[in-house]
Amino acid sequence: MHWKELLPVDTLQVEASGLLHEYDRRVLTLLYQPLIGAGAYSLYMTLWSAHEQKDTLVTTMTHHNLLLMMRWDLKRILEERRKLEGIGLLKTYLKSGEDPRHFTYELQPPLTPDRFFNDGVLNIYLFNRLGRNRYNDLKQHFTVDKLNPSEYSNITASFNEVYDSLHPSEMTSLHEEEENHDAIEKRSDNKGLIFTSSQFDFEVMKQHISDMIVSDRMLTDNVKKTIERLAFVYKIEPYEMGRIVEQAAIHHEELSDDLLRKEVSSWFALENRGKMPGLQYRHQPTSLQEFHTKEPVTEEEKAAQRYEQMTPYDILQRAAEGGKPSEADMKLVERIMDEQKLTPGVMNVLLDFILETQDKKLSKNYVEKFASHWARARVKTVRDAMNLAIKELQQPAKPKGKSGNSNSRGKSTARKDKVPEWISEQKEPDMSKEERSEKQDQLKKMLSKYKK
């Protein structure tokens, strides 16, 4: 469905929200690249280069030109572009009424190192990605040593000690200045991450807080914004956040961004043995979603839509009947997705397939086996992953015994695995009447469970 959002003939131009400096390149390379990956980093640098050359090259180009430079397809362009948008490094604008469509990509400068390491979101994910030692090395690298005021005296000359005022006749006319309408280019600060459509329920949180301890006056807009961000990063439910906020107010008689971050970080470290939350691409990229603008009809299509909208965390939580997925399972999923470059939707299908066919057990070897197979098959969409799962279930099980046959007639035994609930009325290989009947019974049971 990516062609509905982007075509090779669509034109683009690159702008920047103020000046970009060489120092920004270091920040992007060392701090942002571990989070967004080499692809999104490469796209940002390519757009930056195009912006720098716009005085000597044509101002606008087509996405076909961009495809040739990046050696990607449109799906990849959209996926990497969304990563830049989501992390606050790119704003995308579409001009109304143009055919072909015309896009303006506005590069945003990265956060300064000081803001990055105190962001409360990005620094947490970087810590998880790189580990404590490398994280501390980078933090030290960007740390500026400050002078000790007690050891020095400030002898800097003031403005009026050095400069004198000119006579009006020697100065440029104010009217001449006003005639120059060209805007002076200036640097715009990155506003940080943007969170939209927050699902955090403050009313539920307040029900678990004493009014005598935390007043409405203490819950300012900035404090609420921080609570929403922390709840997203650390996966904290409103009732649990209420207890954390209350404890922070009891100990300090106030609420602030830094105080809440420290309280939540301490709570999370205590609950998870010092581990930190990790960052992963939250949902299936829109460019790879079949049902982004299309309504599902069949049970299989409805299942595909759910896989596109859910996260691997949701799949594991559903398998645990609402319980919290284990740290080992989440680490396994994160590593597999990173190493095999599986999209979230494909990982969802893989997890569901393995959990249903292996009696809810998430075997490391089994996950790695199928993940590597699907990666080699270049599976990117949910529907492709579902088709591969169906083919796997349709393969007859290997017979046991030295002779290679489990019965006197040499017939292979069909797989007796349970199947994911979305598989219904698929074409089957040659089976006996009894084997086909047994498999259909399994399918009906799973479908009835799915429709509840």
Side-chain angles (χ1 to χ4, degrees):
M1 304 295 290
H2 63 278
W3 56 269
K4 290 189 176 182
E5 297 187 49
L6 198 62
L7 290 173
V9 296
D10 293 336
T11 58
L12 68 98
Q13 67 184 76
V14 184
E15 303 295 341
S17 180
L19 298 172
L20 294 171
H21 309 297
E22 279 301 314
Y23 189 71
D24 295 324
R25 226 179 283 266
R26 284 171 55 195
V27 175
L28 288 164
T29 303
L30 297 176
L31 303 184
Y32 278 86
Q33 185 176 206
L35 300 180
I36 62 178
Y41 171 81
S42 177
L43 178 58
Y44 187 98
M45 290 302 175
T46 300
L47 294 176
W48 187 351
S49 178
H51 174 66
E52 290 177 327
Q53 301 297 323
K54 71 177 186 179
D55 291 335
T56 56
L57 300 176
V58 291
T59 305
T60 60
M61 61 181 181
T62 66
H63 280 80
H64 177 69
N65 301 136
L66 187 60
L67 294 175
L68 293 177
M69 282 193 289
M70 303 301 299
R71 299 185 68 177
W72 292 344
D73 55 22
L74 284 176
K75 289 183 180 180
R76 181 76 184 276
I77 291 288
L78 278 171
E79 181 180 344
E80 304 300 341
R81 190 188 81 186
R82 283 178 58 82
K83 291 179 183 178
L84 294 176
E85 293 169 351
I87 209 162
L89 291 176
L90 182 70
K91 288 185 178 180
T92 302
Y93 300 94
L94 176 62
K95 193 170 185 178
S96 303
E98 291 288 312
D99 187 20
R101 290 168 293 197
H102 180 72
F103 293 82
T104 294
Y105 295 141
E106 185 181 69
L107 297 171
Q108 306 297 306
L111 295 176
T112 63
D114 178 64
R115 286 190 61 193
F116 186 100
F117 284 106
N118 291 282
D119 180 68
V121 177
L122 296 176
N123 58 321
I124 298 297
Y125 292 141
L126 185 68
F127 183 96
N128 177 273
R129 175 65 65 182
L130 300 180
R132 183 182 302 275
N133 292 337
R134 179 58 179 162
Y135 176 86
N136 288 334
D137 287 344
L138 285 175
K139 192 172 182 179
Q140 183 63 36
H141 172 74
F142 285 104
T143 298
V144 178
D145 293 332
K146 295 183 178 180
L147 296 175
N148 187 348
S150 64
E151 298 178 355
Y152 294 87
S153 298
N154 188 349
I155 61 171
T156 307
S158 63
F159 175 80
N160 61 312
E161 288 178 330
V162 179
Y163 299 99
D164 198 1
S165 180
L166 292 174
H167 188 274
S169 62
E170 300 176 280
M171 299 176 65
T172 303
S173 169
L174 180 61
H175 297 293
E176 293 179 11
E177 293 284 350
E178 291 177 346
E179 289 175 0
N180 184 3
H181 299 292
D182 294 334
I184 302 300
E185 188 173 19
K186 61 181 180 180
R187 181 184 178 94
S188 300
D189 290 334
N190 191 311
K191 303 301 181 183
L193 300 181
I194 298 174
F195 285 75
T196 56
S197 304
S198 172
Q199 301 298 317
F200 188 81
D201 195 330
F202 279 98
E203 293 303 317
V204 173
M205 186 191 78
K206 289 180 180 179
Q207 292 173 9
H208 294 80
I209 295 177
S210 170
D211 295 337
M212 301 293 291
I213 299 174
V214 181
S215 64
D216 288 338
R217 179 184 58 81
M218 298 171 71
L219 296 173
T220 64
D221 290 340
N222 284 338
V223 167
K224 286 184 176 180
K225 181 179 178 181
T226 300
I227 289 174
E228 287 180 341
R229 289 160 66 100
L230 291 172
F232 169 83
V233 173
Y234 293 93
K235 296 284 186 182
I236 304 176
E237 296 296 331
Y239 69 88
E240 189 68 63
M241 181 63 79
R243 290 199 288 266
I244 297 172
V245 171
E246 191 174 73
Q247 287 298 312
I250 289 175
H251 293 153
H252 304 277
E253 298 182 355
E254 65 174 353
L255 292 176
S256 65
D257 294 352
D258 290 339
L259 177 60
L260 286 171
R261 287 175 187 147
K262 290 177 182 177
E263 285 289 333
V264 170
S265 179
S266 298
W267 170 85
F268 189 89
L270 185 64
E271 292 286 320
N272 297 272
R273 299 180 182 179
K275 302 295 184 180
M276 301 297 280
L279 175 66
Q280 67 179 33
Y281 203 32
R282 186 168 187 178
H283 293 287
Q284 181 77 347
T286 304
S287 60
L288 298 177
Q289 289 186 23
E290 181 181 354
F291 298 98
H292 177 54
T293 57
K294 172 185 172 183
E295 286 298 320
V297 177
T298 66
E299 288 300 320
E300 185 180 344
E301 289 181 343
K302 291 177 182 178
Q305 184 186 52
R306 288 188 179 91
Y307 285 132
E308 291 177 346
Q309 296 175 348
M310 296 175 75
T311 68
Y313 184 94
D314 297 329
I315 296 291
L316 294 176
Q317 189 176 46
R318 187 180 69 174
E321 298 182 351
K324 183 179 179 181
S326 71
E327 181 183 339
D329 287 348
M330 287 304 300
K331 283 289 186 183
L332 174 63
V333 170
E334 182 180 354
R335 181 176 62 80
I336 292 295
M337 289 181 66
D338 185 55
E339 291 178 355
Q340 302 297 341
K341 308 303 179 186
L342 296 183
T343 62
V346 172
M347 192 71 203
N348 290 341
V349 179
L350 178 63
L351 288 173
D352 220 17
F353 167 75
I354 291 175
L355 289 169
E356 292 295 346
T357 59
Q358 299 300 307
D359 196 25
K360 303 297 182 182
K361 296 177 182 177
L362 204 62
S363 167
K364 172 177 172 289
N365 292 336
Y366 210 66
V367 175
E368 290 177 340
K369 169 188 172 183
F370 282 95
S372 61
H373 173 214
W374 290 14
R376 287 194 299 271
R378 300 182 182 276
V379 180
K380 296 294 183 184
T381 67
V382 163
R383 190 61 71 97
D384 288 345
M386 293 169 72
N387 290 335
L388 264 184
I390 291 169
K391 288 181 181 179
E392 173 61 27
L393 286 165
Q394 289 175 344
Q395 293 178 5
K398 293 181 180 179
K400 299 179 180 179
K402 294 181 179 180
S403 63
N405 294 317
S406 59
N407 52 47
S408 58
R409 296 183 182 180
K411 293 183 179 178
S412 61
T413 305
R415 294 178 63 101
K416 296 295 192 295
D417 294 335
K418 290 183 179 180
V419 296
E421 46 206 34
W422 41 266
I423 302 178
S424 174
E425 297 180 359
Q426 302 294 335
K427 292 182 179 179
E428 301 166 346
D430 293 335
M431 293 183 183
S432 67
K433 189 174 182 180
E434 292 78 10
E435 291 169 345
R436 185 176 290 105
S437 176
E438 181 180 353
K439 187 166 184 178
Q440 287 299 324
D441 287 341
Q442 288 181 331
L443 292 169
K444 288 176 182 178
K445 287 179 182 178
M446 294 306 299
L447 282 171
S448 64
K449 169 189 168 185
Y450 187 73
K451 293 176 182 177
K452 290 179 181 179

